[in-house]
């Protein structure tokens, strides 16, 4: 249980597992950022989120969408920010 003594030695999927039930900010490969509550994930980091806010940069500005639930393909995720509140306006 050396990992429990030193949180900086967590493996990546262990950190994601600790985020289940809490807010997470996800930056996608496209021009999208997503904030929601993490419900679950698999070994490929495909994720299920609820209470989702999607931020998309368009030529007209930023578009914001609200979704009840979403399934994200892990191949399209660039970065995960545990506890993140989303992009600055």
């Amino acid at each position: 249980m050396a990992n429990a003594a030193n949180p900086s030695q967590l493996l990546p999927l262990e950190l994601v597992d600790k985020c289940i039930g809490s807010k997470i900010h996800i930056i996608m490969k496209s021009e999208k950022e997503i904030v929601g509550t993490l419900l679950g994930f698999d070994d490929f980091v495909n994720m299920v989120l609820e209470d989702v806010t999607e931020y998309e940069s368009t030529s007209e500005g930023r578009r914001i969408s609200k979704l009840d639930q979403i399934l994200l393909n892990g191949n399209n995720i660039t970065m995960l920010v545990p506890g993140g509140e989303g992009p600055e306006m």
Side-chain angles (χ1 to χ4, degrees):
M1 287 292 281
N3 288 346
N6 187 354
S8 66
Q9 293 180 349
L10 285 175
L11 294 173
L13 290 180
E14 289 177 316
L15 179 60
V16 177
D17 189 54
K18 288 183 177 290
C19 294
I20 290 177
S22 61
K23 284 273 191 202
I24 190 164
H25 176 190
I26 301 169
I27 300 172
M28 306 298 286
K29 289 181 181 176
S30 63
E31 297 294 318
K32 291 184 182 181
E33 296 184 39
I34 296 171
V35 177
T37 302
L38 180 63
L39 294 181
F41 69 98
D42 64 12
D43 290 342
F44 301 102
V45 195
N46 298 313
M47 299 184 150
V48 178
L49 303 168
E50 70 178 358
D51 300 326
V52 176
T53 305
E54 180 181 67
Y55 302 88
E56 184 174 10
S57 297
T58 65
S59 57
E60 294 85 34
R62 179 165 288 174
R63 183 173 62 189
I64 299 173
S65 306
K66 299 279 188 178
L67 304 164
D68 290 333
Q69 202 171 62
I70 192 171
L71 170 64
L72 293 179
N73 183 322
N75 286 333
N76 298 319
I77 295 172
T78 299
M79 185 167 55
L80 303 171
V81 183
E85 292 298 318
E88 295 180 5
M89 299 311 268

